[in-house]
Amino acid sequence: MAADRKKWILEAASKSFALFGYKATTMEQVAKIAGVGKGTIYTFFSTKEELFDAIMMDVIQEMKRIADKVIQEERTFIKKLERVLEEFYRFRSNHELLIRLSHEISEMGTAKAQEGMKSLEGAILGFLEKNVRTAMEQGEIRPCDPQVAAFVILKMYVSFVHDWDRTHGPLTKEQISEFFHVYLFEGLAVR
Amino acid sequence: MAADRKKWILEAASKSFALFGYKATTMEQVAKIAGVGKGTIYTFFSTKEELFDAIMMDVIQEMKRIADKVIQEERTFIKKLERVLEEFYRFRSNHELLIRLSHEISEMGTAKAQEGMKSLEGAILGFLEKNVRTAMEQGEIRPCDPQVAAFVILKMYVSFVHDWDRTHGPLTKEQISEFFHVYLFEGLAVR
DNA sequence: AAATTGACTAATTGAACAAATTGGTCATTC
DNA sequence: GAATGACCAATTTGTTCAATTAGTCAATTT
């Protein structure tokens, strides 16, 4: 049945991309893992790229479900923000495919892998932007451009967990929370 | 005379690194441009890496001189900050060697080139940290960790001129100034 | 008739090997 | 004593041919 085959192909491809990365995954191999003929893959996906895109979309949907759940569990914007960022980071750090893609990007700079991770970042930014807008409309934060705010928030977070980590060692949740409080919420200006 | 030869070597190497990058620059070539024997280079610098380090130090000193001049010309911390960041960015964008090294890093990921640009970033952070500390001691900004503040300031600036630029197009000086004002100085918290 | 398969092919990648190059050394020359 | 450039082990590069791969489609199966 066609619906089954598509599902097998998606599962097989997800496994192969996670194990071997984008570039080293062959369609022959995906077909073998899925237990179908290679040509069958092309009845559902025109190209290897389209297959990869479909899998990235699934990953992004999954990540969003987790983030939505976290949002329901917290009350204040700042708490929601911290939890969501933490969850995004954990998701990205534990997800086999995403780990593999990051590795492939730094080792080989594969364009498609970069594109995949960029779409993930775009989804995170979109999610943050939506929540900034809500918080702003509810008067929880001051008026601002939600898109820019989301950008600043994410870049700051990523800088702490990646760049600072590399030069000074890892930060605790409490330290990151404190930094967000001082530099993003209260600001540097003297009152 | 030895002092002359060292100067010629430094000038020749600077030219070669700027034209060909770190990896494709050969000591034979540096010697030829400088008009000395290859072995002469090794009377001043033990290795190719040491020669490169010496040149990066010169570049960093030059950049600091420019930044110090800018600091003298402005009155308030925020103005100093914006001018200095702008100057660092301009310096980096117009300096042939730095342009070439950036290109080499993205095309080939040469470790030594990366190391060179990291030492540049380290110098910028040190400079910013010193000035944050001064502003804080003078009561111009609220108490904070100068090292973290410098880090946040630089990462935010670089995110705007690089990442935002790539996805949304270039920002004007005024826009960046406004974003620093809203997100870093005033903060998002409702008063 | 529709769905599936896997052999086929042009384009790309990888492996093997010899030639060329390079950073560093040092005997010779100035 | 300072400077030079030939030398050399290690590395890189270029070439060639074999192997591989994404996509295609005639043949087979359902």
Side-chain angles (χ1 to χ4, degrees):
Chain A
M1 195 198 325
D4 281 351
R5 278 184 165 77
K6 185 173 184 180
K7 184 162 167 292
W8 299 340
I9 291 167
L10 283 167
E11 283 169 357
S14 188
K15 284 188 175 74
S16 187
F17 285 133
L19 256 188
F20 305 108
Y22 179 80
K23 191 178 165 92
T25 283
T26 68
M27 299 301 262
E28 182 72 65
Q29 180 175 79
V30 171
K32 185 173 297 182
I33 297 173
V36 301
K38 195 169 73 157
T40 304
I41 302 182
Y42 292 92
T43 62
F44 300 106
F45 310 98
S46 304
T47 60
K48 181 179 175 181
E49 296 201 350
E50 195 180 300
L51 174 58
F52 178 74
D53 288 338
I55 286 166
M56 282 307 299
M57 292 248 335
D58 285 347
V59 173
I60 288 169
Q61 292 312 311
E62 186 189 344
M63 182 187 68
K64 278 186 179 171
R65 268 192 303 272
I66 295 173
D68 276 328
K69 182 158 164 287
V70 166
I71 288 285
Q72 303 305 325
E73 295 172 352
E74 299 290 344
R75 302 278 307 291
T76 66
F77 172 68
I78 192 168
K79 265 292 169 224
K80 289 174 195 273
L81 183 65
E82 286 172 5
R83 280 287 312 282
V84 160
L85 287 170
E86 199 188 321
E87 213 61 45
F88 281 146
Y89 185 65
R90 180 182 293 130
F91 184 80
R92 199 190 134 144
S93 302
N94 294 339
H95 194 96
E96 302 262 337
L97 173 60
L98 301 179
I99 295 171
R100 188 68 186 77
L101 290 178
S102 296
H103 184 255
E104 181 169 343
I105 289 166
S106 59
E107 290 302 308
M108 291 189 248
T110 312
K112 193 63 188 172
Q114 283 176 337
E115 192 187 305
M117 295 307 278
K118 271 202 171 56
S119 67
L120 183 77
E121 176 175 308
I124 296 177
L125 282 172
F127 188 90
L128 291 177
E129 182 184 335
K130 195 182 64 170
N131 283 279
V132 166
R133 182 172 291 112
T134 301
M136 193 177 70
E137 285 164 356
Q138 297 181 342
E140 247 187 304
I141 59 174
R142 303 190 326 136
C144 61
D145 181 337
Q147 192 177 29
V148 180
F151 178 82
V152 170
I153 288 164
L154 184 60
K155 291 299 171 180
M156 200 184 292
Y157 189 76
V158 170
S159 295
F160 282 130
V161 297
H162 276 137
D163 302 344
W164 186 274
D165 185 83
R166 277 211 204 97
T167 53
H168 301 85
L171 294 166
T172 63
K173 264 166 55 176
E174 290 73 37
Q175 280 174 312
I176 296 181
S177 178
E178 171 69 17
F179 291 159
F180 262 71
H181 185 76
V182 171
Y183 299 105
L184 188 61
F185 288 99
E186 295 304 328
L188 288 176
V190 193
R191 308 296 178 224
Chain B
M1 196 193 331
D4 280 351
R5 278 184 164 77
K6 185 172 185 181
K7 184 161 165 295
W8 299 339
I9 291 166
L10 282 168
E11 283 171 356
S14 188
K15 285 188 174 72
S16 187
F17 285 134
L19 256 187
F20 304 109
Y22 179 79
K23 191 178 166 93
T25 283
T26 67
M27 300 301 260
E28 183 73 65
Q29 179 175 82
V30 171
K32 187 173 300 184
I33 297 173
V36 301
K38 194 169 77 161
T40 305
I41 302 183
Y42 293 91
T43 62
F44 300 106
F45 309 98
S46 303
T47 60
K48 181 178 175 181
E49 295 200 350
E50 196 180 303
L51 174 59
F52 179 73
D53 289 338
I55 286 165
M56 281 307 299
M57 293 247 335
D58 285 348
V59 173
I60 289 169
Q61 293 313 312
E62 186 190 343
M63 182 187 70
K64 278 187 182 172
R65 268 194 303 272
I66 294 173
D68 277 327
K69 181 158 163 285
V70 167
I71 289 284
Q72 304 304 325
E73 293 170 354
E74 298 290 344
R75 303 279 306 291
T76 65
F77 172 68
I78 192 167
K79 266 292 170 228
K80 289 174 195 276
L81 184 65
E82 286 172 4
R83 279 290 310 281
V84 161
L85 287 171
E86 198 187 321
E87 212 62 44
F88 282 146
Y89 186 64
R90 180 182 293 129
F91 183 79
R92 198 189 134 143
S93 303
N94 294 337
H95 193 97
E96 302 262 338
L97 173 60
L98 301 180
I99 295 172
R100 188 66 186 79
L101 289 178
S102 295
H103 185 254
E104 180 167 345
I105 290 166
S106 60
E107 293 299 311
M108 292 191 250
T110 312
K112 194 62 187 171
Q114 284 177 333
E115 192 187 306
M117 295 306 279
K118 269 200 175 51
S119 67
L120 183 76
E121 177 175 307
I124 295 178
L125 283 172
F127 188 91
L128 291 177
E129 182 184 334
K130 194 180 65 166
N131 283 278
V132 167
R133 182 172 290 113
T134 301
M136 194 177 69
E137 287 165 354
Q138 297 181 345
E140 248 186 305
I141 59 173
R142 301 184 334 131
C144 62
D145 181 335
Q147 192 177 27
V148 180
F151 178 82
V152 169
I153 288 165
L154 185 61
K155 291 298 171 181
M156 199 183 295
Y157 189 77
V158 170
S159 296
F160 282 131
V161 298
H162 277 136
D163 302 345
W164 186 275
D165 185 84
R166 277 212 206 97
T167 53
H168 302 85
L171 293 165
T172 64
K173 265 167 58 178
E174 290 72 37
Q175 281 174 311
I176 296 182
S177 178
E178 171 70 16
F179 292 160
F180 263 71
H181 185 77
V182 171
Y183 298 105
L184 188 62
F185 289 99
E186 295 304 326
L188 289 177
V190 192
R191 309 293 178 225

